[in-house]
Amino acid sequence: MMLERIEAIERITGVLEDELVICNLGFPSRELYSIRDSPRHFYMLGSMGMASSIGLGLALSQERRVVVLDGDGSILMNLGGLVTAAAQSPGNLIIVLLDNRCYATTGSQCTYADVIDLGAVAESMGFNVIRFADDLNFEQALAMDGPVFAHVPVKPGNADVPVIDLDAEEIIERFIEEVRGATED
Ligand SMILES: Cc1ncc(C[n+]2csc(CCOP(=O)(O)OP(=O)(O)O)c2C)c(N)n1
Ligand SMILES: [Mg+2]
């Protein structure tokens, strides 16, 4: 049985330690926040497609590992960002595609991930690709050389979780503090 997106996020973040997490906007961020909150999490608000680019900049500018939890619609909206990440090729970047083949947050309208294999697209760019099914053992992705592209098929739809009760300034300020704190040690 294919996982719900919230189950996939739970399993992935359940095995993370010190990694910084950049999360796709909409329900994915709400789901992550409802599972566990952390200053290591950056919840994208509003800017569709930008999680992978923010993750790339972060991976290039400091040494900690960066895990981007992205969506198919957002990857497709900013495919150039994926190309740039592949060309820059930071070893500490893991892009996770939570692929439900639709824009789940806005009502599960189909994306072109329904007909185009984004794992194959990422592979052709030079990412080390790992494809998960129901057995989402994310430690396997963490053991790989980066940059990694982890393809995680998930069911369409969203969990019934509340909105994030942090404002944008709080999210960014505590995140920057977290990143700076570690780099200045
Ligand atoms: C430029 C832009 N267009 C549209 C939206 C509205 N919007 C917010 S989330 C979303 C769907 C995102 O789909 P995907 O990245 O696949 O994530 P999913 O919700 O499926 O996990 C859309 C269309 C937006 N925020 N910004
Ligand atoms: Mg989607």
Side-chain angles (χ1 to χ4, degrees):
M1 272 281 278
M2 200 183 279
L3 295 174
E4 307 272 353
R5 186 184 52 216
I6 192 168
E7 294 170 328
I9 294 173
E10 162 102 72
R11 290 206 200 172
I12 292 164
T13 55
V15 296
L16 297 183
E17 287 172 359
D18 192 41
E19 288 82 1
L20 299 166
V21 179
I22 307 290
C23 191
N24 192 24
L25 82 167
F27 271 96
S29 273
R30 288 166 61 168
E31 291 173 0
L32 172 60
Y33 182 71
S34 77
I35 295 165
R36 58 177 70 81
D37 182 33
S38 164
R40 292 184 293 103
H41 295 172
F42 178 74
Y43 307 106
M44 187 81 256
L45 303 177
S47 299
M48 187 172 164
M50 296 319 292
S52 55
S53 295
I54 292 172
L56 170 61
L58 194 58
L60 290 171
S61 61
Q62 52 83 59
E63 288 180 354
R64 260 162 103 176
R65 194 138 60 165
V66 176
V67 174
V68 177
L69 299 176
D70 219 336
D72 49 306
S74 298
I75 286 280
L76 285 164
M77 178 166 270
N78 182 19
L79 206 51
L82 202 63
V83 171
T84 309
Q88 291 285 328
S89 198
N92 58 342
L93 179 64
I94 301 181
I95 294 183
V96 179
L97 171 57
L98 299 166
D99 191 355
N100 48 22
R101 302 175 171 206
C102 69
Y103 303 105
T105 292
T106 49
S108 295
Q109 306 86 353
C110 279
T111 69
Y112 289 138
D114 216 21
V115 287
I116 300 292
D117 176 359
L118 291 174
V121 170
E123 196 154 32
S124 75
M125 292 178 186
F127 279 97
N128 292 322
V129 175
I130 180 163
R131 291 172 181 277
F132 289 103
D134 317 346
D135 57 327
L136 180 45
N137 260 328
F138 197 69
E139 289 98 336
Q140 290 177 286
L142 295 173
M144 288 167 67
D145 291 333
V148 171
F149 185 93
H151 187 257
V152 181
V154 292
K155 286 188 204 161
N158 309 300
D160 185 12
V161 290
V163 292
I164 297 173
D165 56 3
L166 300 172
D167 58 35
E169 286 80 8
E170 260 177 295
I171 294 171
I172 189 64
E173 277 165 15
R174 68 179 195 163
F175 186 73
I176 287 177
E177 202 174 305
E178 169 73 25
V179 175
R180 286 214 179 110
T183 20
E184 280 166 13
D185 277 349

